[in-house]
């Protein structure tokens, strides 16, 4: 990947983050009028950054749109009498357009989002109104000037006035400044601070300075160099210039000034001060001129003045790392854990009487576990952003359906594996839409039933080694008899068969199964819940549904904490070792053979806690050679599947262990009964069984 | 480039990657150099050149480097260039 591609990749990631922020801020704007100016300002920053970046990458369609939206935000800032309330829907639509437009630009496809023209036209209309208002203001002499100049809060910090630098401006320079102000409208101080590794990142101070020179004239610049006493050891790749303060005359606005530094924001800290006309007059008339020597003598003071931020609260710093690097690190640590475990369990160590050695190995074991936990935590992110997206979805569906309800979010700080976050968006989106469209009654229906305002709750929490995400509503509930009727009419079930309530409800996950009487653009095509099930299956999770007719439904998605590690039950069949995901294990037991019966001497069933469950002899199923243990010596494990429970017959349970899942590679991908492999503590390799495939292949 | 008058001239537009070579040339000729001048036809490309000049001046103050000594020295884009240590 070349530098440009890397920059583009960074831009795409940042743009998506900005768009998510715009969604969140717009929702906050709708809900909290008290923070209007702060929120509009925050939205402005995002839009402004997006505009600069989009244009830099040639994304002109996106750039044009956000440019107009930026103007609209300026209008709201400068003309407080204009209520943004009437534009809040336009804000939401604009975020949607930007999101879609970004995808179009990234994919280099033709065309525009569906509501591009409509929303752009609305924005332009509002801007035209602003122009009229401005004209009215200028015509009315008694009118108070609304604002002298556009003055949004800048993304960058404001440079403090540095008296020593200003006082050292010579008489000639003052004269030049006075003359130049006939050409230039503004006088700025731009303070840049740099770190040691600047040159390694392909940047150098001169790039920023040359950019500034292009937009005006630098009157004076102050440079601070790190110790440069030994010429022999001078290193061309080390940055010795840590501070540059430039005094610039230009016609650019502060916002335009910011744009210059947008692409090098990671390379330096920027502080900008625009001197007011009074301040410029003062500078030009300063009588005392401080000589350079004075500055040198008072360098400590200067540093204190120029970097007051150092005494401020310590800034939390972040670094952006490609997720595949974290995955590689995680895999390496996984190997380390296995190697450590192999040493710990080796016969030599087990039989050793060397107390010190055992103590050291024990200490190594603890450290290794700690490192594994820390690396694991790098993959974990709060589910907050995904939940916020759902809040936006809920708002849109509320508008479309005309249903009013409380949307409650709980546990948004719950952490989940980063790789799962994206994959969860679609399932959650479908479940939220269904909860609102099918689950909740209309306001009139609820009033007639004596029900209070509807609620849809989205909640996340940790339970054991799982993350649970629950979507619940207090609406109609699911009518299982209607589902059964539909399933029978579609030939999915024999009317003579008795099905449990949970089995009936699970038909809603069948492809094309829909209970909606009308197909809308929200739901009803019967594709949603099928997608949900497939997505959750891929994440090695499961969905539990609880529903009570007239009271509401709850969809509980249970996911492993991470896809990279599973909690496994280690079993043996003959000399082979396998792993079962404990998420699917209900319980294990020694069989009472009197409860086992067979059909035509082939299929075996067991009466277990009132249920008749099929028994799968894993050795026969997997065609493993070796003598099968006697029935009474074997172990039965009750497994759970959405199509019902079943029993696995194995020789023994060897233990339970968290294992790092290793891919079987592309050559063994076709073996659907195996989801991966794992190396156990003693160095042995065990295959992880795919319970879904096992059950599906049973044909029972 | 060192001339007969012991003036070492450096192009202001020298690329960052070439500064190391200049550094080595200066080290080799350090006893012969009397003056280091910056020849300016284009804007300075890398500010690392300024670091090198400051380093030379600190190491051997008798070498004349007008850019650093004359506080009103002017490079494109830098305005009046002043050093604060």
């Amino acid at each position: 990947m070349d530098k440009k591609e890397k920059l583009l990749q960074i831009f795409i990631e940042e743009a998506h983050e900005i768009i998510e922020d715009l969604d969140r801020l717009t929702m906050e704007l709708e809900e909290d009028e008290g923070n209007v100016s702060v929120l509009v300002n925050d939205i402005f920053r995002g839009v402004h950054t997006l505009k600069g970046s989009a244009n830099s990458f040639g994304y002109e369609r996106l750039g044009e749109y956000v440019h107009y939206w930026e103007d609209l935000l300026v209008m709201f800032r400068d003309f407080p009498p204009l209520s943004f309330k009437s534009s809040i829907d336009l804000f939401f639509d604009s975020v949607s357009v930007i999101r879609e437009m970004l995808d179009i630009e990234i994919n280099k496809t033709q065309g525009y989002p569906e509501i591009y023209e409509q929303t752009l036209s609305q924005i332009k209309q509002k801007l035209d109104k602003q122009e009229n208002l401005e004209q009215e203001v200028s015509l009315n002499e008694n009118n108070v000037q609304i604002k002298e100049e556009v003055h949004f809060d800048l993304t960058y910090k404001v440079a403090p006035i540095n008296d020593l630098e200003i006082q050292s401006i010579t008489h000639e320079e003052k004269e030049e400044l006075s003359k130049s102000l006939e050409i230039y409208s503004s006088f700025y101080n731009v303070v840049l601070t740099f770190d040691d590794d600047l040159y390694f990142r392909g940047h150098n101070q001169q790039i920023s300075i040359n950019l500034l020179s292009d937009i005006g004239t630098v009157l004076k610049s102050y440079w601070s160099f790190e110790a440069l006493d030994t010429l022999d050891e001078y290193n061309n790749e080390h940055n010795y210039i840590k501070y540059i303060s430039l005094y610039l005359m230009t016609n650019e606005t502060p916002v335009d000034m910011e744009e210059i530094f947008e692409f090098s924001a990671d390379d330096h800290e920027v502080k900008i001060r625009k001197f007011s006309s009074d301040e410029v007059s003062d500078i030009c008339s300063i009588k005392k001129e401080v000589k350079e020597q004075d500055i040198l003598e008072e360098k400590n003071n200067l540093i204190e003045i120029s970097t007051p931020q150092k005494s401020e609260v310590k800034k939390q710093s972040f670094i952006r790392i490609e997720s595949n690097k974290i995955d590689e690190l995680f895999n390496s640590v996984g190997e380390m854990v296995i190697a450590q475990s192999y040493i710990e369990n080796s016969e030599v160590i087990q039989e050793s009487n060397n107390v010190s050695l055992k103590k050291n190995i024990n200490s190594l074991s603890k450290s290794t576990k700690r490192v594994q936990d820390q690396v694991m935590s790098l993959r974990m992110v709060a589910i907050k952003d995904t939940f916020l997206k759902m809040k936006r979805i809920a708002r849109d569906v509320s508008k479309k359906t005309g249903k009013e309800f409380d949307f409650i979010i709980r546990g948004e700080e719950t952490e989940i594996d980063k790789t799962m976050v994206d994959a969860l968006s679609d399932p959650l989106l479908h479940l939220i839409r269904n909860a609102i469209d099918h689950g909740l009654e209309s306001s009139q229906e609820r009033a007639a039933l004596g029900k209070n305002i509807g609620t849809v709750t989205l909640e996340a929490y940790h339970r054991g080694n799982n993350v649970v995400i629950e979507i619940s509503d207090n609406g109609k509930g699911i009518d299982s008899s209607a589902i059964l009727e539909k399933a029978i009419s579609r030939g999915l079930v024999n009317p003579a068969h008795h099905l449990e309530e949970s089995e009936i409800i699970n038909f809603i996950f069948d492809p094309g199964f829909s209970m909606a009487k009308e197909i809308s653009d929200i739901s009803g095509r019967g594709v949603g819940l099928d997608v949900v099930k497939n997505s959750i299956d891929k994440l090695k999770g499961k969905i539990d549904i609880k529903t009570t007719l007239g009271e509401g439904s709850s969809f509980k998605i249970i996911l492993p904490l991470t896809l990279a590690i599973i909690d496994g039950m280690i079993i043996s069949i003959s000399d082979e070792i396998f792993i079962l995901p404990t998420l699917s294990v209900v319980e294990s037991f020694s069989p009472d053979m009197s409860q086992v019966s067979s059909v035509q001497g082939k299929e075996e069933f067991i009466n277990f806690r009132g249920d008749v469950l099929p028994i799968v002899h894993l050795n026969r199923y997997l065609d493993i050679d070796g003598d099968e243990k006697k029935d009474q010596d074997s172990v039965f494990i009750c497994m759970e599947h959405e199509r019902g429970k079943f029993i696995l017959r194995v020789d023994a349970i060897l233990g339970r262990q968290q294992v790092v899942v290793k891919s079987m590679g592309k050559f063994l991908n076709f073996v659907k009964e195996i989801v991966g492999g794992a190396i156990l503590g003693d160095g042995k390799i065990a295959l992880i069984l795919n319970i879904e495939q096992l059950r599906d292949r049973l044909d029972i | 480039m060192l001339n007969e008058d012991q003036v070492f001239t450096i192009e202001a537009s020298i690329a960052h990657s070439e500064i190391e070579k200049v550094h080595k040339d200066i080290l080799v000729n350090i006893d012969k150099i009397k003056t280091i001048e910056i020849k300016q036809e284009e804007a300075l490309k890398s500010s690392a050149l300024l670091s090198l000049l400051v380093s030379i001046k600190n190491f051997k103050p008798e070498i004349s480097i007008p850019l650093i000594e004359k506080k009103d020295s002017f490079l494109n884009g830098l305005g009046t260039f002043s050093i604060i240590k």
Side-chain angles (χ1 to χ4, degrees), chain A residues 340 343-344 346-366:
Chain A
Q340 184 276 328
I343 294 168
E344 193 177 11
S346 71
E347 280 182 26
V348 179
I349 301 297
Q350 293 291 325
E351 290 167 8
S352 168
N353 293 323
N354 188 329
V355 178
S356 170
L357 177 67
K358 285 195 164 181
K359 193 178 167 187
N360 287 337
I361 286 179
N362 189 32
S363 168
L364 175 67
S365 170
K366 284 179 185 167

Side-chain angles (χ1 to χ4, degrees), chain A residues 649-668:
Chain A
R649 184 190 191 278
V650 302
D651 286 354
I653 295 175
L654 303 179
R656 185 180 161 179
Q657 187 182 326
Q658 285 202 339
V659 292
V660 178
V661 181
K662 298 279 180 187
S663 162
M664 297 300 290
K666 59 182 177 182
F667 295 111
L668 289 174

Side-chain angles (χ1 to χ4, degrees), chain A residues 173 205-206 221 223-224 231 234, chain B residues 44 47-48 78 80 82 84:
Chain A
E173 287 161 353
Q205 294 90 346
Q206 207 57 38
S221 62
W223 298 60
S224 173
L231 184 62
Y234 175 84
Chain B
L44 194 70
S47 38
L78 300 186
T80 311
S82 299
I84 45 172

